[in-house]
Each structure stands twice: as structure tokens, then as C-alpha cells.
Amino acid sequence: RPPTSSDVAYSSQALPEFLVPDEDIMGCFCSSAARHNIDHQTEINAPIAEVWAAVINIDHWEWNKWTTLEAKEVRTGVSGKLHACYEGDGKWQDFDFTFGEVNEATHTIAWFGKVAGGCLFHGRHQMRLEMVSPTVTLLVHQEEFSGCLPALNAGLPYAKLRRNYLWMNEALKAHLEVSRGS
């Protein structure tokens, strides 16, 4: 089999000086990718257990016209397909993903996807719930981007993703509050 990146240890000392990245350049490069990071918080008038049940029930995200997940099970380390629809119009693009964390105790579901081992692109998506009161839950919905493509403002429609994640929050809120009669 051909060697993979995990078979080879890389060290900047093994590289000629002109190939070693300058720390100032790398810091600038990483911060320009981070400008696309997303953080939306939405209060939902439903108990945390009800919100958690809806979030981890990925086979029934009918409320979500922008992102769906397909996997054998919702468990840390399980891989699947993420289906993205940037306009909510039923035109889907598929991406590979892996659940990074699924934790009922912290009410966290996170997944990530990467291209070229993360050098070109790495996205880490997280939905975390916090109890505000017994009948109100805060949904913290975040994504962090890194790699060459986000730094160059390429690879994904970042402004649409920012908008869509807010719409996802609002759609989940409406779905749960309507079903509860809130």
C-alpha cells in the first residue's frame, strides 16, 4: 500500500529553510480562515431532553431544509454523508463527515469533514444545548473552518452557510415550539 500521512512523521527541521512556513504568515493564514467561523445561539421554548431528542434524531430532520446527516448511527467516530442545500430548494451536495463527539451528558453533537487531510479544508460543526430553565433550552450552533480553501475564501459559500445555520436554529425552534403548542 502507498504510505499515508500517518505513516510519515514530518519535521520542520527535515525541510530546507525556504520550505519552513514563517510563523507570522501561518498566523495570518489561519486567522483569515477563521473569519468564516459561525456562532449562532437561539433560545428554544422546550425542555433540553426534547431538544436533544430532536437534534440526535438525524433520520427525522424534516424541519431542516439546509443540512441533513445520513449515518448508520449517531455515535462518536461513525462516518456518514452530509447533504447540504445552500438555497433550501432541494438541490443537494454531498460531503463525507465523521461524528467527532456525541455526548448526551453535555448535550453535544459535533461532526467534522476534511479535504486532503485538512490541509485544503477542515470544518468542525457543533450543536450544543444548555438548560436555561426547565422549559427553555439554549442551542449553541457553531462551525470552525481551517485550511487553505477557507483562508482564500474558496471551497464553500460561507455567507450562505452563516445564514443557513441561523435558519436551521429558527426551523428547529419552530418545529419544537409548534409541536408543544408554545
Side-chain angles (χ1 to χ4, degrees):
R1 76 176 169 83
T4 65
S5 60
S6 60
D7 297 327
V8 181
Y10 293 97
S11 165
S12 61
Q13 293 161 326
L15 296 173
E17 186 175 324
F18 68 91
L19 289 178
V20 177
D22 180 274
E23 288 183 27
D24 292 335
I25 291 172
M26 291 309 290
C28 176
F29 192 70
C30 292
S31 65
S32 57
R35 76 179 182 270
H36 297 300
N37 290 353
I38 299 167
D39 185 347
H40 291 302
Q41 298 184 16
T42 303
E43 282 194 3
I44 300 173
N45 294 311
I48 198 167
E50 286 182 28
V51 181
W52 177 249
V55 168
I56 64 165
N57 191 1
I58 63 171
D59 293 332
H60 293 284
W61 276 14
E62 291 88 4
W63 51 268
N64 189 343
K65 299 188 310 186
W66 305 277
T67 302
T68 61
L69 302 176
E70 182 180 338
K72 289 185 286 188
E73 60 182 316
V74 181
R75 185 173 50 83
T76 301
V78 171
S79 295
K81 288 286 183 192
L82 179 146
H83 309 289
C85 181
Y86 302 115
E87 299 301 332
D89 58 2
K91 296 177 184 170
W92 298 91
Q93 287 187 324
D94 296 340
F95 301 93
D96 294 328
F97 81 92
T98 302
F99 285 113
E101 178 183 5
V102 179
N103 187 328
E104 186 172 6
T106 62
H107 297 98
T108 302
I109 180 172
W111 59 89
F112 64 89
K114 55 187 174 180
V115 176
C119 292
L120 284 179
F121 175 87
H122 187 274
R124 182 182 183 282
H125 195 116
Q126 174 179 275
M127 297 172 82
R128 183 173 39 83
L129 307 177
E130 298 175 7
M131 184 188 310
V132 175
S133 74
T135 60
V136 178
T137 301
L138 179 67
L139 167 59
V140 179
H141 193 169
Q142 301 169 314
E143 182 140 15
E144 295 177 354
F145 298 101
S146 60
C148 296
L149 293 175
L152 297 171
N153 200 32
L156 289 173
Y158 299 101
K160 288 180 183 180
L161 287 177
R162 181 176 307 281
R163 174 199 69 192
N164 290 357
Y165 293 173
L166 178 60
W167 287 354
M168 285 171 59
N169 285 19
E170 295 299 323
L172 178 60
K173 175 183 174 75
H175 169 74
L176 289 166
E177 291 179 357
V178 165
S179 67
R180 299 189 90 245
S182 298

